[in-house]
Amino acid sequence: MTSSFAIVGAALLFAMGLAVVRAVAGPTLFDRILAANSFGTKTVLLLAILGFLVGRPDFLDLALVYALINFVGVIAALKLIKFGRFSDPKPPVGT
Amino acid sequence: MIGIGLLLFLLLTATGILLVRNLFAVVILSGIYSLLMAGTFTILDAVDVAFTEAAVGAGISTVLLLAALGVVGQEDRGRNRRALIPIAVVVLAGVMLIYAVPEMPPFGSPEAPIHVHVAPQYIEETPSVIGIPNVVTAVLADYRGFDTLGEVTVIFTAGIGVLLLFAGRRRKYK
Amino acid sequence: MFALDIMSWILLGIGTLFLLIGAVGLIRLPDFFSRIHAAGLIDTLGAGLILAGLMIEAGWSLNLAKLVLILLFLLFTSPTSSHALAHAALVHGLKPWRHPKDSRQAQINTDGDEASNH
Amino acid sequence: MIFSNLAALQVVVPLIGAPLCTLFGRGILAWALSTAVTWFAFAVSISLLMQVLCCGTINYVMGGWLAPWGIEYRVDHLSALVLLLITGVASAVMPFAYQSVAREIPREKHRLFYTAYLLTFTGLLGMVITGDAFNAFVFMEISSLSAYVLIALGKNRRALYASFQYLVLGTIGATFFVIGVGLLYMITGTLNMVDLSERLSGQHDSRVFLAAVGFLVVGLSLKLALFPLHLWLPNSYAYAPSVVTVLLAATGTKVAVYLLLRFIFTVLQVNQQPDLLPVVDLLFPLALIGMFAGSIVAIYQTDVKRLLAYSSIAQMGYILLGISMASERGLIGAIVHVFNHGVMKAGLFVAVGAIAVHAGGTSIQNLAGLGRRMPFTMAAFTICALSLIGIPGTVGFVSKWYLVLAALEAGTTRGFIAAIAVVSASLLAIIYVWRVVEVAYFANPSDGEASVAEASWQTQFSLWIFSSSCVAFGLSTGLTAGVARLAAQTLLGIAP
Amino acid sequence: MSEHLILRVVIKFLIPFIFLFALYVQAHGDYGPGGGFQAGIIFSVGFILYGMIFGLQRLRRVVPPHLILALMAFGLLLYTGVGFATILLGGTFLDYGYLSHDTVHGHHYGIFLIELGVGITVASVMIAIYQTFTARAEETTDENVGTG
Amino acid sequence: MSVLGNFNYVIAITLSMIGLYVLIERGNLIKKLVGLNVFQSSVFLLYISMGKIDGGTPPIHYEGIAPFSNPLPHVLILTAIVVGVATLSVGLALVIRIRDAYGTIEEDEIQALDAESGGTE
Amino acid sequence: MINSNWGGAALLRHSISLFFILGGTWLLLSGHMEALPLILGAIACTFVVYLTRRMDIIDGESHPIHMGFRLPSYWAWLAWEICKANFDVACRILDPRLPIEPRLFELELHQSSDLEKVIYANSITLTPGTVTTNLDEEHIQIHALSVEAEREIRSGKMAAKVAALETSE
């Protein structure tokens, strides 16, 4: 079983490499953010795999945190792009 | 093996940070850099550190950097300093460290001084004396609790500092 | 037990396959909007199948619950961020690439965006 | 109970004072609380010094964990003396702070300002008292971070940029320090300074060790503004609010010197390792260049604050000169000068702060005729300035005396060069001090500003504490030189 | 504003779980990875998400700046307070063993309390910094400084 | 021991030098801060690499798992990460204020403005 | 406290349901059944419910308890759709000719509540080959990778499934 985890890990690593290439290459900002987002997803998977690979599945907490943090980062980046700055001029209409 | 891959990606990302001009892209790359760093920490068994690095480096730092970019704009006009002195400094420091590498205790060796002197006692003692399984928490909060007090004070200082820098009306400078 | 392992292998294998295809798509596809679809591939089946494979491996334990939580979390957040990303790109003025044969419009150069982002 | 925990209280009481100040420091309370805290800390440091003098080094284990496992506080003669300097300056400056802060800082910021002030104070104390290398880094960052913020509060916008430069260079320094500590940890497995020194013996030719020494020395030199690494200092001192300048100029760099001494002598035991002497030898030319470059640049300054800042760089040269001799006399000179320079710079900057308020600026023209308009302030300023030169009867003379003695005692060519350098740099000091004093006493004030009032009694109080101690410690050297001798002997490992 | 619809609904759903997860990390630092610092960060991330979607005004109504400032100081005081308590009980600073008759329990209480202090301070500092930065961003746009 | 055997250290050193270079050489203040981040976190990598032990697992006690990696570097780096984020936030606050006061965050322009407005140096 | 236009009873119902959902999640995360973690869990859940009420984000939108068991069956259907779409997109990416014809198009929305719109939009995004790019009161704008993907959406199968989620209550 361990070897199959290792293979998945290697594949993930390869995919992460492609994402990094996309992030460095761009060309638009959105490509970079997309790459970062997809990179984050792969990191979450990599961590989950690693937990099983090392035999310490309590790494899953980490994976959960990564998923969360990744989301926040993307939202923050979009917020900045959309408004060209970082905040709402007025609060949106309530629910 | 996964570790080596991550390290190479780290190099790639750091080079990207060095070369890319657009500040926004730099911030995104630094977020990725932190995630990679956190992954590397996990492989090196530092779970708690990876946790923190992910939350701080990829999360809070990125948000704060982006928030700052929202105010200051995102152009790097690219006029750098004359490169001679920085290169000299960096090469000097780098050579000094690389020079030391061959005599460093081999990576992962259980006989390295740090694995035989202070740390074993932490690992042995913690379950019986402090009664919790996570040795890192035990050392952090108990054995070296005073360091952590300092750490909280640093964060407190940062908070006070930021509030102090922005408190009150904006001042007009001459 | 052995059957479960086989199941898990298969799931992991297919998941990895989709993951790789998605990653290749991320590089290969011509513009930002089509790349989103490739990323979607990774987020849904890639992540889903790999996590499912791990779930089988975890058996009835706390880890299973955590894996389910991770999967749910991914399934909630990833479309949201994809959508937000695509929307922001459109609002920002990024034009989707069209197939040359498919349209009479002039092809829009996707590379020209860097300068206008501020 | 209190008595056995003095070492902890020294740091912890200011540390508690800071958040209390945030919570309750409305109006005058912030100032009152800070005053109470600093004075209490001063009292504690006096009793710590007495304890050290009577019964030797104090070891205090935090959390009840013995030394290499837990964090240990260690007070010996050197740290007790530096603690006394820090708490003394911080508490004596409080009366001056009351008015100065009210003038320079907007009201709504007072509470946070005093909080940050107390945090700087805590950080400085923590760096001195701790016996753990990494703990020193943590407290270094507390003091530096709050110092960056405090500097940025200056009225001129240049304060912001100065603070940013300080932040960049200071962080590089701190990170180098961490690299150095990490390398030492790598080959010993411990972070406790005493334990480090024991376990390092026999590894002195290891490359890792040499790299560690390099990084530690460079990092600390950045923090203490050794000559080519001083770039952050002049602007930071010149544009920071007066109170902040006083505290930082008198104690900030001194604490870095303390750490350098601690590492070179206690941890690395340079004096017992002949092959390590090049490290201190390297300090010698830098110290000489620093002395002269600082003094010469100071001569050309038109702003008194900047003039004093460059003079600080020069004085740092004296201190490093003493360290580079690595002899008992040389160390006494260096340690005494750490203390003395702290006291006189505090006095000078308090006076300049008062002048800035009452004469409308700190450029040399503003000082014209102040000798008559602000006689007390200028008198105190002159006393401190004279001791900067090293006139007999002032503290400056004492430290330079020891430095020259040490230089001559060495008997080498280098010793003679050092002795000549001390004397001739003092001559340069005469020039820049004279420029200020001449304008103050003999120039006619420019038209218009006829009525300049004398500084308030609170300011006078702070000012005269410093200037009178310049004379008092210059006449009776028992406390400073006596303790410094014991400290030097402990550092060199000679039984007193 | 349409983007807000999707973001709003999803984030409303997520925020309680983020908070819960933060508290879980806070409480289980003894058993697995995590502790006060990480918990504080995650907790503040919940508030930051809220602030990003619903605007600074609403965030300020939920956690007013003066409350944040007080909490910042309170966390640090809690930590030092534990240290003082151990001194008063006869130990040295931060010697948790004195907090209870049973030393091991004492260490437990001590670690729990100081981690709580760390968490409170970290979370409130991060929220404070976020609030300050975004408030400045709003001001800058109001004045229309532009991008130059 | 060959240099390659300590691959981690070499990478950590290279990374820290890249960070240091960005920090010193780039003129843009934000970029400087990002460089600072890279510089610091690569030092963290150096520390964590020391703590790794062959065949070790994370230092959390779990039934029947023997060698643990060294927890002490982890603790130190946790503290250092906190210090890093604190420095970053104060630095960013300063950058924003500098932008307010000078209208630019390019180092050479700030220096030019300072020189223009008179004063020494 | 922020005013809410949600009635007291509904608010209470949602708060209680949130409390139990959170409690369940806590148990899943923690797995420690001793007294202390459980008490802490109860405190944590109460605190989170308090905070969410203070933030005014408890309502039917965020905790669709009224959809009950119809949601899981929808998810199962969606999962199958996603598999099919994945296969299609994967083939297109791997095909050396890269047979994609990206297109943007708009549709009218028939869903009544915001929640349904969001579920619909997110389902579209979740299905590879289609991404929602805009959503307002009446319209939804979609970017599709191919003609087939567009046709699939236009067939309205998914819209009907989503609409069925909230009916019959």
Side-chain angles (χ1 to χ4, degrees):
Chain A
M1 205 60 223
T2 324
S3 61
S4 75
F5 288 141
I7 293 169
V8 179
L12 268 168
L13 214 58
F14 178 71
M16 281 161 89
L18 294 183
V20 173
V21 168
R22 185 41 83 203
V24 175
T28 68
L29 291 180
F30 301 99
D31 283 301
R32 295 184 207 272
I33 302 175
L34 181 70
N37 188 19
S38 148
F39 186 87
T41 313
K42 287 168 202 156
T43 319
V44 173
L45 294 178
L46 184 70
L47 269 180
I49 293 279
L50 265 182
F52 283 86
L53 197 60
V54 186
R56 298 289 293 265
D58 44 8
F59 284 24
L60 293 176
D61 285 355
L62 250 94
L64 212 51
V65 171
Y66 280 39
L68 165 69
I69 289 298
N70 192 33
F71 180 61
V72 175
V74 172
I75 298 293
L78 289 175
K79 206 67 191 137
L80 172 63
I81 287 200
K82 187 165 180 210
F83 301 106
R85 61 200 143 77
F86 208 70
S87 56
D88 284 332
K90 49 189 181 296
V93 188
T95 50
Chain B
M1 190 228 29
I2 294 181
I4 291 178
L6 286 177
L7 288 175
L8 291 179
F9 290 162
L10 274 173
L11 272 183
L12 183 62
T13 321
T15 322
I17 291 175
L18 178 68
L19 296 179
V20 172
R21 280 264 171 258
N22 186 302
L23 288 181
F24 194 94
V26 168
V27 173
I28 299 281
L29 283 178
S30 89
I32 293 188
Y33 181 85
S34 286
L35 269 185
L36 279 169
M37 195 52 102
T40 319
F41 289 157
T42 320
I43 292 189
L44 295 174
D45 293 344
V47 193
D48 281 82
V49 183
F51 206 130
T52 315
E53 175 70 25
V56 170
I60 286 289
S61 294
T62 310
V63 171
L64 293 183
L65 275 167
L66 287 172
L69 276 192
V71 187
V72 300
Q74 38 168 307
E75 272 174 87
D76 176 356
R77 303 214 187 122
R79 263 171 276 165
N80 304 325
R81 297 191 163 178
R82 269 159 297 153
L84 210 62
I85 298 173
I87 287 180
V89 169
V90 168
V91 167
L92 207 68
V95 164
M96 208 145 99
L97 278 172
I98 298 278
Y99 163 79
V101 167
E103 289 191 8
M104 285 181 184
F107 175 74
S109 148
E111 279 92 42
I114 68 166
H115 295 308
V116 292
H117 184 38
V118 172
Q121 190 167 341
Y122 290 143
I123 294 172
E124 278 158 32
E125 249 186 30
T126 297
S128 57
V129 176
I130 300 174
I132 62 173
N134 189 344
V135 186
V136 175
T137 304
V139 179
L140 182 84
D142 209 329
Y143 290 99
R144 294 185 70 89
F146 196 69
D147 256 0
T148 310
L149 177 57
E151 164 194 324
V152 182
T153 315
V154 170
I155 272 292
F156 178 72
T157 311
I160 293 289
V162 172
L163 290 177
L164 188 53
L165 281 174
F166 287 104
R169 230 168 280 118
R170 281 170 87 181
R171 203 187 302 161
K172 288 274 175 280
Y173 292 94
K174 21 182 168 141
Chain C
M1 201 55 225
F2 187 64
L4 279 183
D5 268 357
I6 299 274
M7 270 281 277
S8 151
W9 282 348
I10 293 172
L11 287 176
L12 285 176
I14 303 176
T16 313
L17 204 65
F18 275 104
L19 191 90
L20 287 176
I21 295 172
V24 169
L26 211 55
I27 294 291
R28 200 167 168 230
L29 288 172
D31 83 324
F32 164 73
F33 289 98
S34 42
R35 283 178 205 135
I36 288 190
H37 300 293
L41 216 64
I42 299 171
D43 287 342
T44 53
L45 265 200
L49 290 180
I50 289 180
L51 287 176
L54 291 179
M55 280 176 209
I56 293 178
E57 205 56 36
W60 283 108
S61 67
L62 222 55
N63 295 324
L64 177 68
K66 280 183 186 163
L67 285 169
V68 172
L69 281 179
I70 293 174
L71 184 58
L72 281 182
F73 201 88
L74 279 182
L75 289 183
F76 273 101
T77 55
S78 76
T80 311
S81 37
S82 293
H83 157 71
L85 201 53
H87 178 73
L90 262 191
V91 168
H92 189 264
L94 199 63
K95 300 283 188 303
W97 177 87
R98 314 247 346 201
H99 199 281
K101 279 182 294 181
D102 191 49
S103 91
R104 262 161 263 147
Q105 281 175 279
Q107 190 179 335
I108 289 115
N109 186 7
T110 46
D111 293 11
D113 195 65
E114 197 79 321
S116 60
N117 286 325
H118 50 83
Chain D
M1 192 189 298
I2 295 255
F3 205 65
S4 60
N5 286 303
L6 272 184
L9 293 181
Q10 176 80 80
V11 176
V12 172
V13 167
L15 185 53
I16 288 198
L20 282 180
C21 197
T22 324
L23 280 181
F24 305 111
R26 300 196 182 281
I28 197 176
L29 259 180
W31 176 80
L33 195 67
S34 319
T35 312
V37 166
T38 46
W39 287 15
F40 177 80
F42 185 51
V44 170
S45 76
I46 290 177
S47 52
L48 274 179
L49 181 63
M50 284 177 6
Q51 236 173 312
V52 171
L53 283 177
C54 87
C55 338
T57 307
I58 304 169
N59 288 310
Y60 182 86
V61 285
M62 285 286 166
W65 301 107
L66 286 177
W69 292 279
I71 289 169
E72 177 196 40
Y73 266 13
R74 203 156 175 285
V75 192
D76 61 5
H77 295 97
L78 179 59
S79 31
L81 189 66
V82 180
L83 286 176
L84 188 71
L85 171 70
I86 299 170
T87 52
V89 170
S91 51
V93 86
M94 286 316 286
F96 166 66
Y98 180 64
Q99 284 204 318
S100 159
V101 171
R103 280 222 169 73
E104 293 180 33
I105 311 288
R107 258 183 73 87
E108 66 270 18
K109 291 190 183 183
H110 281 190
R111 176 152 73 126
L112 296 179
F113 177 87
Y114 282 110
T115 309
Y117 180 83
L118 284 179
L119 286 170
T120 315
F121 183 55
T122 312
L124 293 172
L125 292 174
M127 274 158 86
V128 174
I129 203 169
T130 187
D132 188 279
F134 198 82
N135 198 238
F137 161 72
V138 175
F139 278 89
M140 182 194 282
E141 283 299 312
I142 296 176
S143 75
S144 316
L145 267 182
S146 41
Y148 307 147
V149 175
L150 287 175
I151 289 170
L153 292 177
K155 281 207 163 122
N156 194 313
R157 70 177 179 184
R158 291 174 185 203
L160 294 170
Y161 184 53
S163 160
F164 188 84
Q165 276 181 317
Y166 186 18
L167 182 137
V168 168
L169 290 176
T171 313
I172 295 179
T175 313
F176 272 31
F177 181 77
V178 174
I179 296 177
V181 170
L183 293 178
L184 286 184
Y185 172 67
M186 187 186 252
I187 52 173
T188 57
T190 181
L191 290 163
N192 185 277
M193 292 182 189
V194 176
D195 199 23
L196 264 177
S197 75
E198 282 166 15
R199 307 193 118 246
L200 276 176
S201 59
Q203 305 207 42
H204 290 282
D205 46 356
S206 150
R207 289 177 173 192
V208 183
F209 176 76
L210 292 178
V213 174
F215 275 91
L216 282 174
V217 171
V218 173
L220 287 173
S221 306
L222 258 170
K223 285 275 176 194
L224 62 77
L226 178 65
F227 171 64
L229 307 172
H230 68 281
L231 291 169
W232 56 269
L233 187 140
N235 283 335
S236 305
Y237 284 10
Y239 301 119
S242 309
V243 182
V244 179
T245 312
V246 175
L247 184 70
L248 290 183
T251 60
T253 45
K254 309 301 177 295
V255 171
V257 172
Y258 164 84
L259 273 185
L260 189 69
L261 280 170
R262 217 1 115 222
F263 269 93
I264 289 187
F265 292 102
T266 306
V267 177
L268 309 178
Q269 301 199 315
V270 165
N271 53 307
Q272 291 165 25
Q273 308 294 332
D275 43 329
L276 271 182
L277 281 176
V279 175
V280 269
D281 287 344
L282 202 64
L283 292 178
F284 179 73
L286 293 178
L288 284 190
I289 300 171
M291 277 160 70
F292 284 100
S295 304
I296 291 170
V297 178
I299 292 175
Y300 290 100
Q301 296 303 312
T302 52
D303 183 285
V304 184
K305 267 188 156 182
R306 290 182 73 86
L307 185 148
L308 291 177
Y310 278 106
S311 130
S312 275
I313 295 169
Q315 305 293 321
M316 219 32 90
Y318 289 105
I319 294 172
L320 286 169
L321 191 69
I323 297 176
S324 74
M325 291 175 202
S327 66
E328 187 186 332
R329 278 248 167 72
L331 280 186
I332 295 176
I335 295 168
V336 169
H337 203 55
V338 164
F339 187 87
N340 293 347
H341 180 235
V343 172
M344 55 204 183
K345 266 290 148 59
L348 286 167
F349 275 115
V350 169
V352 172
I355 291 168
V357 168
H358 292 278
T362 56
S363 85
I364 289 200
Q365 283 86 40
N366 289 102
L367 264 69
L370 275 191
R372 269 158 287 160
R373 307 246 193 75
M374 300 173 75
F376 292 107
T377 309
M378 277 321 290
F381 180 90
T382 312
I383 292 174
C384 294
L386 288 180
S387 77
L388 200 58
I389 301 172
I391 301 290
T394 59
V395 282
F397 177 71
V398 181
S399 27
K400 286 182 184 173
W401 176 250
Y402 274 103
L403 286 176
V404 173
L405 272 190
L408 294 178
E409 179 194 62
T412 53
T413 340
R414 226 181 64 172
F416 283 111
I417 297 175
I420 293 167
V422 170
V423 176
S424 46
S426 301
L427 293 179
L428 289 175
I430 295 183
I431 300 178
Y432 61 72
V433 165
W434 174 250
R435 280 186 64 218
V436 180
V437 172
E438 183 199 21
V439 173
Y441 282 99
F442 303 110
N444 283 321
S446 53
D447 47 287
E449 304 170 56
S451 60
V452 172
E454 181 55 279
S456 66
W457 66 267
Q458 291 102 325
T459 307
Q460 299 279 345
F461 183 71
S462 293
L463 186 53
W464 281 99
I465 290 179
F466 291 125
S467 53
S468 56
S469 33
C470 273
V471 179
F473 289 125
L475 294 176
S476 95
T477 60
L479 174 67
T480 52
V483 176
R485 178 184 306 278
L486 292 172
Q489 284 165 348
T490 336
L491 281 179
L492 292 172
I494 312 166
Chain E
M1 285 298 104
S2 58
E3 183 197 52
H4 278 227
L5 183 60
I6 294 183
L7 280 184
R8 199 179 68 214
V9 170
V10 172
I11 279 172
K12 265 190 198 173
F13 173 78
L14 284 182
I15 282 181
F17 291 95
I18 294 175
F19 285 151
L20 187 80
F21 187 60
L23 292 173
Y24 158 75
V25 172
Q26 171 86 52
H28 288 72
D30 300 359
Y31 306 103
F37 183 76
Q38 294 89 336
I41 294 276
I42 299 175
F43 209 75
S44 70
V45 161
F47 281 101
I48 288 174
L49 261 182
Y50 182 78
M52 284 195 288
I53 301 304
F54 294 95
L56 185 60
Q57 295 304 320
R58 268 181 80 172
L59 179 61
R60 278 206 175 136
R61 259 182 291 163
V62 176
V63 272
H66 62 86
L67 177 68
I68 294 276
L69 190 65
L71 282 177
M72 255 157 78
F74 173 74
L76 186 51
L77 277 177
L78 183 60
Y79 202 139
T80 33
V82 172
F84 257 90
T86 57
I87 286 188
L88 291 180
L89 291 170
T92 60
F93 192 68
L94 293 176
D95 191 347
Y96 310 135
Y98 286 84
L99 288 176
S100 165
H101 297 297
D102 181 14
T103 346
V104 177
H105 277 172
H107 284 286
H108 258 287
Y109 298 145
I111 291 177
F112 179 77
L113 284 175
I114 65 132
E115 291 272 20
L116 194 62
V118 176
I120 293 175
T121 300
V122 170
S124 40
V125 166
M126 290 305 157
I127 299 171
I129 294 177
Y130 174 80
Q131 282 187 350
T132 320
F133 280 15
T134 23
R136 180 47 59 103
E138 280 183 4
E139 235 176 86
T140 314
T141 17
D142 287 349
E143 288 169 20
N144 201 10
V145 175
T147 46
Chain F
M1 199 62 210
S2 70
V3 172
L4 247 180
N6 288 345
F7 189 64
N8 275 46
Y9 300 141
V10 177
I11 294 280
I13 292 164
T14 319
L15 286 176
S16 71
M17 289 312 127
I18 293 178
L20 186 60
Y21 184 74
V22 174
L23 175 57
I24 304 177
E25 197 250 8
R26 298 287 130 150
N28 186 293
L29 301 188
I30 294 271
K31 199 142 183 199
K32 268 179 184 295
L33 287 179
V34 175
L36 190 70
N37 241 0
V38 172
F39 181 40
Q40 286 183 325
S41 54
S42 49
V43 176
F44 305 161
L45 181 59
L46 184 75
Y47 266 75
I48 299 294
S49 301
M50 296 178 207
K52 172 74 180 169
I53 199 165
D54 279 336
T57 58
I60 300 172
H61 278 279
Y62 217 59
E63 292 121 58
I65 291 179
F68 293 111
S69 286
N70 194 331
L72 189 50
H74 302 181
V75 173
L76 303 181
I77 291 315
L78 279 176
T79 308
I81 289 179
V82 178
V83 171
V85 71
T87 314
L88 179 74
S89 41
V90 170
L92 284 176
L94 277 174
V95 171
I96 296 179
R97 289 290 310 276
I98 287 177
R99 173 70 169 68
D100 280 353
Y102 286 87
T104 174
I105 53 164
E106 298 288 332
E107 205 159 46
D108 50 350
E109 290 172 19
I110 294 171
Q111 278 159 357
L113 281 171
D114 269 353
E116 216 171 86
S117 64
T120 37
E121 276 193 1
Chain G
M1 188 68 65
I2 296 146
N3 289 328
S4 169
N5 51 6
W6 272 73
L11 183 62
L12 189 65
R13 205 177 55 189
H14 281 109
S15 305
I16 291 172
S17 86
L18 177 64
F19 180 86
F20 283 107
I21 293 172
L22 290 176
T25 318
W26 177 276
L27 290 182
L28 285 181
L29 283 171
S30 152
H32 285 271
M33 287 300 174
E34 298 103 77
L36 189 65
L38 285 182
I39 294 171
L40 284 178
I43 295 173
C45 294
T46 320
F47 183 57
V48 173
V49 171
Y50 164 73
L51 268 182
T52 38
R53 285 186 68 157
R54 196 179 157 90
M55 286 178 156
D56 195 22
I57 52 173
I58 297 188
D59 52 33
E61 271 184 16
S62 56
H63 292 277
I65 43 175
H66 54 281
M67 288 192 178
F69 291 103
R70 283 187 298 270
L71 214 44
S73 68
Y74 171 72
W75 281 348
W77 176 80
L78 185 64
W80 178 238
E81 289 298 308
I82 289 174
C83 287
K84 282 195 294 188
N86 256 304
F87 188 69
D88 179 61
V89 175
C91 287
R92 283 173 200 278
I93 290 177
L94 289 181
D95 193 316
R97 282 171 298 137
L98 209 65
I100 57 166
E101 296 147 82
R103 54 201 55 246
L104 262 182
F105 60 94
E106 264 191 29
L107 284 181
E108 276 191 23
L109 274 178
H110 302 293
Q111 284 78 14
S112 50
S113 76
D114 281 355
L115 181 62
E116 281 177 48
K117 285 177 200 160
V118 171
I119 292 179
Y120 183 48
N122 262 359
S123 305
I124 289 176
T125 314
L126 209 47
T127 322
T130 47
V131 174
T132 313
T133 52
N134 201 358
L135 178 72
D136 59 28
E137 287 306 307
E138 286 105 32
H139 297 92
I140 182 164
Q141 190 189 30
I142 296 164
H143 183 268
L145 198 57
S146 62
V147 191
E148 288 76 15
E150 181 179 349
R151 212 171 288 146
E152 182 69 35
I153 298 288
R154 283 195 190 274
S155 74
K157 221 189 293 171
M158 185 183 276
K161 287 268 181 189
V162 173
L165 275 176
E166 203 151 354
T167 48
S168 75
E169 188 179 38

